[in-house]
Each structure stands twice: as C-alpha cells, then as structure tokens.
Amino acid sequence: MSGSVVLLHLAGAVALMLFATRMVKTGVERAYGDVLRHRLRDTMRNPIMAVLAGTGLAIALQSSTAVTLLVGSFAGSGIVSGAAGQLAVRGAEIGSAIVTKLLTFDLTLLVPLCLIAGTIMFMATERRDWRQIGRILVGIGLLILSLEMIGQASEPLRDSQLMPVIIDYFSGDPITAFLIAALITWLFQSSIAAVLLMATLAGRGLITPELGVVLVLGVNLGSSVIAPMLTRGADAAVRVVPVGNLLMRGMGSIVMLVLFMVFRPHIGFLGATASDQIVNAHILFNVIILIAGLPLAGVVYKASEKIVALGTRPEPAESLQAVELSALNEAALDNPAQALANATREVVRVCETVEIMLKRIIELYEDADAEKIKALAALDDRVDRRHAAIKIYLAKVTRNVMTEDEALRCQELIGACVKLEQVGDIIVRNMLVHVKKKLDQGLEFTPEGWRDLSAFHASVLANARLAFNVLVSRDPAAARELVLEKDLLRDREKEASHSHFLRLRDGTSKSIETSSIHLDTIRDLKQVNSLLTSMAYPVLEERGLLRGSRLKAG
C-alpha cells in the first residue's frame, strides 16, 4: 500500500473520530444541556463541588473546552465566582482525561450495540430526548470504531523506512515535537482526540513512550489555547476564565516539559504499555495542575483579569448607538415563511439590544455618569424604533395567505416584541431613575445588599438569555426550565427581601438610605423576568404543557 493511501485512510479515521466526538457532545448538549448548566450553577459555590461539577460535565460533554467556555460565561455574568470557575475548569481537565482513559480499553463489542440501539432510538420515535440519546449512542459507537480504524490504518507504517527517521528526529528535538502536538490539538479542537490518536499510534509501536510524554504535554498546551481563541471577541469578563486556564495548564505544560528534558525521569511506573503510559501521563499532568490550582485559584483569576484588561480598550459610550442594518426585507413579504424568518432575525437583534441594556444597567448602579446614562437611554430608543418597524412589517405579512403555524409564529413574534419593549421601558423609566437618584444623593449599598442585588440581577440576566434562546429554538425543554426558573426567582426575591429587612432592623445606615432603591430594583428585575418568561408560554401551550396559567407536572 502506498504512503499516500495509508495517510488517506489515517486521515479518514481521524476525521471520523472528530465527527463522533462532536456528535456525542452535541447530543448531550441538546438532551441535557440546560439541566447540566442549571446544576452546575447551583453546585459551584463550594470549591470541591466546583471541581467535581467540572469533572462530571466534561465527561458528559467529552470536551473540557466546552466546560471552559460555559464556566467562563457564568463567571462573566456574575453567576459564579472567578475562583470557583478556575476550579471547575481544573476538574474539567480531569474529566476529559478520564474519558480518554476509558476509551483506551477494549470496547469493540460496544460498537454494534451502540450503533444498533442508537439508530433504533433515533428513527423509531419523534421524541426529542430519545432521539438525542440515540445520537449519543451512535456517536459513542462511531468513536470506538474510529479508534479501531486508526489502528488498522497505521499498521502499514510499522514497515515504513521513513517513520523511524521521523520518530528519531522528534525524539532528539522535543521542543519541535511539543509545538507540533500543540498545533495538532488546536486543529482538532479536542485534547481527547489528540491523546487517543497518539495512544493508538504508540500502541502500534510507532511512538516511543518518552516521545509520547512530550507530545502529551504539547496536547495540553494546544488544548489550553482553544478557549481563549474562541472567546477573543467576547466581553472581557467572559475571557478571564479561559485566560486563567491558559496560565495554569499552558504554563504548566511548558514547565513540565523543561523538567522532563532536564531530569529525564523513568516513566515505566506510568503503565505496562506505551499507550497506557501516554494516557496515564496525560491524567497525571492534569492531577498535578489540579493540586497546584487549588491554592492558586484566586491568584490566577486576579492575574487573568489584569492580562485581559491590558488587551481591552474601554468602549466609548457613543459606540452603543452604532447603526445596524435591518433584516426586514420588503421584497420577501410575498413569501410568509421567508418574511417570518426575516422578522425573527430582527427580533433577535432587539433581544441583543435588551441584553446589553440589562447588563449595562447593573454596572451603572456601581459607576454612573451623565454620558453612560444618556447612552443607555439611547438604546431604549433603538428598541422602540425596531419594535415599531417589526410590527409594521408583520402587519404587511398578514395580508398574504398563511398557514396556521405561520399565523401563530407571527403572533408569537409580535408578542415577544411587545414584551421586549416593555423590558426596555422598565430599565430606562424605572431602574435608570434609581441610578440617577443614587448618583445625585451619593448613596452606597451595604456589601451584603449589593451582593444580594448583584446575584438577583445575574439570575435574571441568565434567564433573559435562556428566553432569547427559546424564542429562536422553540425548545420545549428550555421553555420548561425557564418557567421553573421563575418560581426559583420568586424564592430568591423573598430571601433577598428578608435579608434586607434584617439589615433595616439592625439599623444599618446604608441599608436605610438605600432601602427604597434596593426594593424597587428587586421589584423591577422580577417584572423583567416575568415578561421574558412569558415568551416561553406559546411553546409550552403548543405542546400541551400548560394547565391554565400553571406549568403541568412532568
């Protein structure tokens, strides 16, 4: 078999492995993503639980990068602390390494079982949760099959005269091998896929254990770069956790490489075979980084904030008023399906503006000036203009003959637009007034009061993002979670109000001065949450999941 054919087969096997890994990841996200996110938010208050939560989520999603991005968004929204986010990512790296270890066992019998069961579950029902479980099973089967294909495709390389030369070169130049492994991992966008590939090749005698350890360290460097690259255009607060992971895992891999090159330790203790030694080296490295990361989580997060701040330019208030193009194409009015798609795009833009307003308003409670207040008010004007344009556009769409589903979607979009405008009005006409009052009178919240208010706002902001997703995806599971979150928020409101009244009873001067602002802000945020939650009702009602005004059990 020619070398080009061998490489073609190997590339195809690797491509299948990458596709299967992504298939499992998307299946888990679609079936259990909202539940996992919700559980993660609730369990990350405790450092140990943060590590365990990150580990479990990485095993479920088969991706430490996905967990890093998710935790980064939580930290950016203020839902979890930065230190807890760092620990969750450390746990995610352990979870990713555990998945790699599990996939090195002989699981060939699972291939037909997973493919058969997964295909039956996917094709025999229209239930979304069962179909996603079927997708997960098929993905697992294809992933195991791809590992067998990699082994078979690499078999001819044993007899290659060029392969020993390449291995000898990289064995003598560990820095180049380290960087190439990092590049491969970045291209794969998966440390699991990269380590499995190297372990499989090592099992065929194509990679020496010593070279494998160097490559594993390179894999960890490449994996730590992925999340910062994917979030380079995100808000500064979201980028802090990925940058912290780069500091710990990326710098750790470089330090470990230097130590390995200097001391040349014997690695026989890592396992009986070359593939075991490579996978176990991957696990050991991440355990060491976890142990080092426990006491350093807070320090690393602060250093990450400073690094992110160095590369972040302050956004001028005027940029919030940037003009955007409209998706309301008049030429599509004769095609209701296309016109509704255009209107959906425009409503999504309104959602984005409202999200910016909701995020900015809490920042103004801490640091406000006339220019920032003016810029936020200008955003409400933009919401009003888009709202009016969307209503007129949808009114023109209704002049055409529409199906029942199209008519319902049209009403749903109009209703969502009205609610978004009302949210904007609450932010500007109510909450911005509180900001001005606090600024004019020079008032300050107590640390406890501000913490309660920030946490309550973070919950509402998270629910807002979930509501916007429901508007686009119309996912009943996400809609149900949003309505359940409304009940949880009611409990949080009671707790925040109770804590506030306790401070008033104790006679805390700051609590007394800011009492009306505190309570009115909680009330306004609760009203915002109720408006956004109601955007889920059409999805639930369509599927018979509402009983009157109450959510059905199930």
Side-chain angles (χ1 to χ4, degrees):
M1 187 181 295
S2 66
S4 59
V5 175
V6 171
L7 292 177
L8 180 63
H9 280 282
L10 185 60
V14 171
L16 179 61
M17 178 172 60
L18 296 175
F19 175 77
T21 302
R22 181 174 178 81
M23 192 173 184
V24 174
K25 173 177 171 290
T26 55
V28 172
E29 286 179 338
R30 293 174 184 177
Y32 306 107
D34 295 324
V35 175
L36 291 173
R37 291 181 182 91
H38 180 69
R39 297 281 175 82
L40 186 65
R41 287 190 302 183
D42 290 342
T43 58
M44 283 181 57
R45 306 297 194 270
N46 181 284
I48 302 301
M49 291 304 298
V51 174
L52 295 177
T55 302
L57 197 60
I59 292 174
L61 296 177
Q62 297 201 356
S63 172
S64 60
T65 299
V67 179
T68 303
L69 297 174
L70 178 61
V71 172
S73 68
F74 284 169
S77 301
I79 296 174
V80 301
S81 68
Q86 295 289 343
L87 294 176
V89 172
R90 298 278 65 78
E93 307 298 353
I94 298 294
S96 176
I98 291 173
V99 171
T100 306
K101 181 64 176 179
L102 292 175
L103 291 172
T104 59
F105 294 124
D106 185 6
L107 304 173
T108 51
L109 186 60
L110 287 179
V111 174
L113 294 177
C114 287
L115 293 178
I116 293 171
T119 301
I120 291 175
M121 294 176 70
F122 189 85
M123 300 183 67
T125 179
E126 292 299 321
R127 285 187 55 180
R128 184 178 183 277
D129 51 349
W130 284 100
R131 287 173 67 87
Q132 296 309 321
I133 294 173
R135 177 190 294 272
I136 295 169
L137 290 175
V138 171
I140 293 173
L142 292 178
L143 181 56
I144 300 171
L145 178 62
S146 69
L147 297 176
E148 295 182 28
M149 292 175 60
I150 290 174
Q152 296 171 1
S154 61
E155 188 68 28
L157 294 177
R158 286 184 173 186
D159 302 324
S160 170
Q161 297 179 351
L162 181 61
M163 198 66 185
V165 177
I166 297 174
I167 298 301
D168 288 342
Y169 173 78
F170 285 128
S171 297
D173 187 1
I175 294 178
T176 301
F178 174 80
L179 294 175
I180 288 179
L183 178 61
I184 290 173
T185 306
W186 181 77
L187 292 173
F188 283 3
Q189 299 283 293
S190 170
S191 61
I192 293 177
V195 174
L196 286 175
L197 173 62
M198 293 165 188
T200 303
L201 296 177
R204 299 284 170 168
L206 299 174
I207 295 177
T208 63
E210 292 74 17
L211 177 59
V213 172
V214 173
L215 294 175
V216 161
L217 294 175
V219 166
N220 283 278
L221 173 64
S223 180
S224 66
V225 172
I226 297 173
M229 291 294 292
L230 292 176
T231 57
R232 62 186 182 276
D235 291 341
V238 175
R239 289 155 48 203
V240 174
V241 167
V243 170
N245 184 44
L246 177 59
L247 285 179
M248 280 297 298
R249 195 179 181 199
M251 294 299 297
S253 65
I254 295 174
V255 171
M256 293 296 291
L257 175 66
V258 173
L259 293 176
F260 186 79
M261 292 171 61
V262 171
F263 295 103
R264 296 287 180 179
H266 180 66
I267 62 173
F269 72 95
L270 290 173
T273 65
S275 60
D276 286 341
Q277 290 170 357
I278 288 176
V279 174
N280 292 338
H282 181 52
I283 296 174
L284 178 61
F285 170 80
N286 284 288
V287 170
I288 292 173
I289 297 299
L290 170 61
I291 295 173
L294 287 173
L296 296 176
V299 176
V300 170
Y301 190 78
K302 291 180 180 178
S304 305
E305 285 183 315
K306 293 181 179 179
I307 292 173
V308 170
L310 290 175
T312 304
R313 294 181 179 179
E315 181 179 320
E318 291 77 13
S319 66
L320 296 177
Q321 304 177 34
V323 178
E324 297 181 8
L325 296 176
S326 172
L328 304 178
N329 183 5
E330 296 282 335
L333 287 172
D334 292 335
N335 185 340
Q338 183 62 50
L340 289 174
N342 291 340
T344 301
R345 286 175 54 199
E346 197 69 7
V347 173
V348 168
R349 289 179 174 174
V350 177
C351 291
E352 293 171 351
T353 305
V354 169
E355 182 178 345
I356 292 173
M357 294 176 66
L358 191 56
K359 185 176 180 181
R360 292 286 189 270
I361 187 65
I362 200 67
E363 297 172 359
L364 295 186
Y365 273 77
E366 273 196 302
D367 180 24
D369 57 42
E371 287 300 317
K372 292 179 180 178
I373 292 174
K374 180 180 178 181
L376 188 61
L379 287 180
D380 186 51
D381 293 337
R382 183 194 299 179
V383 170
D384 292 342
R385 289 194 302 270
R386 290 193 180 280
H387 170 233
I390 293 170
K391 285 199 301 184
I392 293 172
Y393 186 79
L394 290 175
K396 293 178 181 178
V397 175
T398 58
R399 297 171 185 171
N400 299 287
V401 177
M402 304 170 68
T403 66
E404 182 179 354
D405 288 342
E406 289 171 344
L408 290 174
R409 180 59 172 170
C410 184
Q411 291 300 317
E412 184 179 352
L413 291 174
I414 292 175
C417 229
V418 170
K419 294 177 179 68
L420 290 169
E421 185 194 30
Q422 291 173 338
V423 169
D425 289 343
I426 292 172
I427 293 173
V428 171
R429 298 179 184 177
N430 295 358
M431 298 180 72
L432 205 55
V433 172
H434 307 329
V435 169
K436 293 176 182 177
K437 178 180 177 181
K438 181 176 178 292
L439 178 64
D440 293 342
Q441 298 182 12
L443 303 177
E444 293 292 336
F445 292 110
T446 62
E448 297 82 4
W450 177 244
R451 185 166 56 248
D452 289 346
L453 201 59
S454 298
F456 195 81
H457 171 271
S459 298
V460 174
L461 182 60
N463 290 344
R465 289 166 176 162
L466 182 58
F468 301 154
N469 290 339
V470 169
L471 179 64
V472 177
S473 68
R474 309 194 85 251
D475 178 12
R480 182 178 179 82
E481 182 189 356
L482 182 59
V483 175
L484 292 174
E485 280 287 339
K486 182 180 179 181
D487 294 332
L488 294 175
L489 195 78
R490 188 183 301 115
D491 296 335
R492 295 189 188 109
E493 179 205 10
K494 293 178 181 177
E495 293 174 3
S497 298
H498 179 68
S499 299
H500 178 71
F501 285 121
L502 288 178
R503 290 191 294 273
L504 287 178
R505 187 185 65 184
D506 294 338
T508 306
S509 59
K510 288 185 178 180
S511 294
I512 296 172
E513 293 170 350
T514 60
S515 179
S516 62
I517 296 177
H518 185 102
L519 295 176
D520 287 346
T521 299
I522 292 288
R523 180 203 63 201
D524 293 334
L525 287 172
K526 183 182 176 184
Q527 189 176 358
V528 165
N529 190 77
S530 297
L531 286 167
L532 296 174
T533 300
S534 65
M535 292 166 62
Y537 292 160
V539 177
L540 296 171
E541 186 175 5
E542 180 181 316
R543 289 162 175 79
L545 296 176
L546 284 178
R547 182 185 291 117
S549 61
R550 302 293 297 171
L551 188 64
K552 283 187 178 180

